[in-house]
Amino acid sequence: MLYPSDAPASAELFDRASEVIPGGVNSPVRAFRSVGGTPRFMASGHGAYLTDVDGREYVDLICSWGPLLHGHAHPAIVDAVTKAAQKGTSFGTPTENEVLLAEEIIRRTPAQQIRLVNSGTEATMSAIRLARGFTNRSLVVKFAGCYHGHVDSLLAEAGSGVATLAIPETRGVTQTQTAETVVLPYNDAAALEELFAQRGDEIACVITEAAPGNMGVVPPVSGFNQKIRAVTAAHGALMISDEVMTGFRASIGGWHELDQVDADLYTFGKVMGGGLPAAAFGGRADVMALLAPAGPVYQAGTLSGNPLATAAGLANLQLSTPEAYQQIASTSSELQGMTASALYAAGVPHKIQTAGTMFSVFLFGEGQEPVNVTDYEQARTQSAERFSAFFNEMLTRGVYLPPSGYECWFVSSAHDEKALERIDAALPYAASAAAAVGYDHG
Ligand SMILES: Cc1ncc(COP(=O)(O)O)c(C=O)c1O
C-alpha cells in the first residue's frame, strides 16, 4: 500500500477551513505544523481504521487521543448512544447514568466522590479552584512538560500542542496568573522539597500527570509520586493526580492501579467518555464537600453529565474488562517490539517508553545517545525532523500516527493481527526515511 503524498479532498477542505477556523483546525495538535503537509479530514472510523475524505484507509494509532479503548464505532457504544439519543439528548436535570458512571469510577479508583464535567480542561480547572478553596492558598505547582488542558494557570511550559508548536509563553495569560504558578522540572524531588521548604505555606496544590504522556511518555521515577504525596501532606497542600490520559487507559484503574499513591483529588477524561465529551474530577469526600451546592466553591455546567456522554462512557467502561486490558497490553508490546526492530535495523537511535499500556517513541538524531527520558528537557532533545520523516512515511503507507513526537501512541482492543501486519509492513520504510535525515539536533 502506498498512498500519494498529496490528499486533494483534505487539501480542499483544509483551504476552506483555514478561511473560517484559525489555522484550519479546532485543536492545535490536529494541525500538521510540525510534520508538514495537509491534515487529513476524516470521514469515518471503524474498529482500528480511519477513512479520510479521499477514501484512504489508515490504521489509527491515535484513537481520538486516547478515549477509543475499543476502536471506532464499537457496536455496544453506538447502541448505547443511539438508545440514549432516542430518549432525549439533554435534560438539564440529574439522570441515573450520572450516578452509575460516578459509581463505576469510584469502584476503580480511590476517589470517594465525583463531579462530572465536559472536558479534561474543565476537570483540572475545577480541581484547582477547589484546592485553592479548601486550603485558602493561591500558589499552584506544576511540572514542565505536563499538560493539563488549556487552563490559564497551567499553560506554562506545558506539553502536548504547546510543546509541539514550541510556544514559549501563551499570550493572554496574565502576569498575575503566571505569578501564582510555579513550574518545576519533572521527576526532580530535590527541587520539589526545596520549593516547599521556602514557600510551603503558600502552596494550595501540586498538580501532576499521574504518569505523563504529553511530552511523550515519561513515567515518574520510582518514588516520585510518593514524594509529592509526602511533601504536600507535610505542608497542608493538596496533591492533584491528573489521570485524564492514564485513567482507565494505562490499566483498568488507571495509573493508580500500577503506582498506588493516594492523591487528594483526581481528574479523569478521555476513556470515561467513550469518545463523547465527558470528564470528571473527584477525590476526598471532605474536599469535594466544599463544591456548590453542598459548599461555597462554585462549579457548574449546562451539559455536565450529558445523557449521550454518560451512556458512551458507561458502555466503554463496561467493555473494559481485565481480559480487554490484557489484550491491549499485549498488542501494545507487540507494536513496541516491531517498532524497535525496524528502528534498530535502520540504525535510528531511539527510546520507547511505557506507562502501562501507553507508550511513545523518541527518535534521536544521528550519533545521539538514546537517553532514558525523565524530564521535559530530555524530551526536547529528540529529533523533530526524524519524527516528521517517520510520520509521513507511515501516513503514505496507511498508518496514522500522532503528528508529533511529544504524543503517545494509542492502541485499542480492535487492533488485531491484520492491523499490526499493516503497521509492521510500513515500519521498515518509515525507519529508513528517519535514518536518511542527517544530524539535526540542536
Ligand atoms: C493529562 C491531561 N490532562 C488534561 C487534558 C485536557 O483534556 P481536554 O482536552 O479534554 O480538555 C489532557 C488532554 O490531552 C491531558 O492529556
Side-chain angles (χ1 to χ4, degrees), residues 45 55 58 64 68 193 229 238 260 328 344 353 373 398:
Y58 306 89
S64 188
L68 304 184
E193 277 178 336
R229 173 66 291 175
L238 299 190
Q260 304 220 331
I328 292 165
Y344 275 123
Q353 301 202 161
V373 179

Side-chain angles (χ1 to χ4, degrees), residues 179-428:
E180 289 186 333
T181 309
V182 179
V183 185
L184 295 179
Y186 189 64
N187 270 328
D188 189 339
L192 186 68
E193 277 178 336
E194 199 183 316
L195 175 71
F196 268 89
Q198 286 166 6
R199 305 186 67 182
D201 59 354
E202 295 171 59
I203 297 170
C205 60
V206 175
I207 184 165
T208 184
E209 280 191 59
N214 282 296
M215 48 178 144
V217 172
V218 178
V221 296
S222 176
F224 185 63
N225 281 349
Q226 283 92 333
K227 174 61 72 179
I228 300 174
R229 173 66 291 175
V231 175
T232 46
H235 289 84
L238 299 190
M239 173 178 179
I240 303 174
S241 181
D242 182 352
E243 293 241 28
V244 168
M245 186 184 284
T246 48
F248 323 115
R249 163 60 73 176
S251 82
I252 193 163
W255 183 254
H256 182 272
E257 185 91 7
L258 309 171
D259 182 13
Q260 304 220 331
V261 178
D262 286 356
D264 301 295
L265 292 173
Y266 297 86
T267 50
F268 305 103
K270 298 194 189 264
V271 170
M272 61 152 284
L276 270 81
F281 64 103
R284 271 169 50 186
D286 62 328
V287 181
M288 295 298 285
L290 254 65
L291 269 190
V297 176
Y298 198 72
Q299 189 280 330
T302 302
L303 293 176
S304 293
N306 172 265
L308 305 195
T310 50
L314 276 170
N316 210 24
L317 290 179
Q318 273 155 13
L319 292 168
S320 304
T321 57
E323 298 71 38
Y325 285 99
Q326 263 170 22
Q327 187 204 330
I328 292 165
S330 106
T331 304
S332 173
S333 27
E334 203 177 329
L335 183 51
Q336 289 163 42
M338 58 179 65
T339 306
S341 302
L343 290 167
Y344 275 123
V348 178
H350 63 277
K351 189 86 179 73
I352 297 182
Q353 301 202 161
T354 64
T357 69
M358 288 164 31
F359 74 100
S360 76
V361 183
F362 293 98
L363 302 184
F364 297 105
E366 196 181 331
Q368 226 182 318
E369 228 6 77
V371 289
N372 190 20
V373 179
T374 58
D375 63 17
Y376 187 36
E377 205 180 303
Q378 284 171 342
R380 283 193 292 192
T381 65
Q382 68 182 302
S383 166
E385 288 79 0
R386 283 197 156 178
F387 182 81
S388 168
F390 186 84
F391 168 89
N392 281 300
E393 194 63 38
M394 292 297 273
L395 193 68
T396 56
R397 291 175 188 277
V399 181
Y400 199 90
L401 289 174
S404 163
Y406 291 98
E407 303 287 355
C408 214
W409 297 18
F410 294 107
V411 293
S412 76
S413 59
H415 285 72
D416 55 9
E417 279 308 311
K418 195 170 140 257
L420 287 176
E421 275 166 24
R422 183 183 303 176
I423 302 171
D424 202 24
L427 279 166

Side-chain angles (χ1 to χ4, degrees), residues 118-195:
N118 305 293
S119 71
T121 296
E122 258 188 86
T124 57
M125 177 188 77
S126 308
I128 282 191
R129 182 182 309 140
L130 183 56
R132 284 175 163 154
F134 184 80
T135 56
N136 268 320
R137 301 174 180 175
S138 54
L139 215 57
V140 170
V141 181
K142 78 170 287 276
F143 297 103
C146 284
Y147 178 69
H148 305 288
H150 62 98
V151 180
D152 284 335
S153 57
L154 298 178
L155 279 174
E157 290 190 57
S160 190
V162 183
T164 304
L165 300 172
I167 295 174
E169 58 182 40
T170 302
R171 292 258 291 268
V173 175
T174 65
Q175 276 180 357
T176 317
Q177 282 161 333
T178 312
E180 289 186 333
T181 309
V182 179
V183 185
L184 295 179
Y186 189 64
N187 270 328
D188 189 339
L192 186 68
E193 277 178 336
E194 199 183 316
L195 175 71

Side-chain angles (χ1 to χ4, degrees), residues 46-99:
H46 290 285
Y49 299 90
L50 283 168
T51 302
D52 72 9
V53 289
D54 285 290
R56 297 172 193 165
E57 186 193 72
Y58 306 89
V59 178
D60 179 19
L61 291 177
I62 300 188
C63 289
S64 188
W65 303 91
L68 304 184
L69 199 58
H70 304 289
H72 294 273
H74 190 287
I77 298 175
V78 173
D79 188 49
V81 174
T82 307
K83 286 195 172 121
Q86 281 161 349
K87 292 187 201 156
T89 54
S90 182
F91 308 129
T93 70
T95 55
E96 184 183 9
N97 271 358
E98 293 166 66
V99 185

Side-chain angles (χ1 to χ4, degrees), residues 17-35:
S18 301
E19 291 292 319
V20 291
I21 298 169
V25 292
N26 279 315
S27 193
V29 288
R30 295 179 195 170
F32 278 14
R33 290 278 167 106
S34 72
V35 291

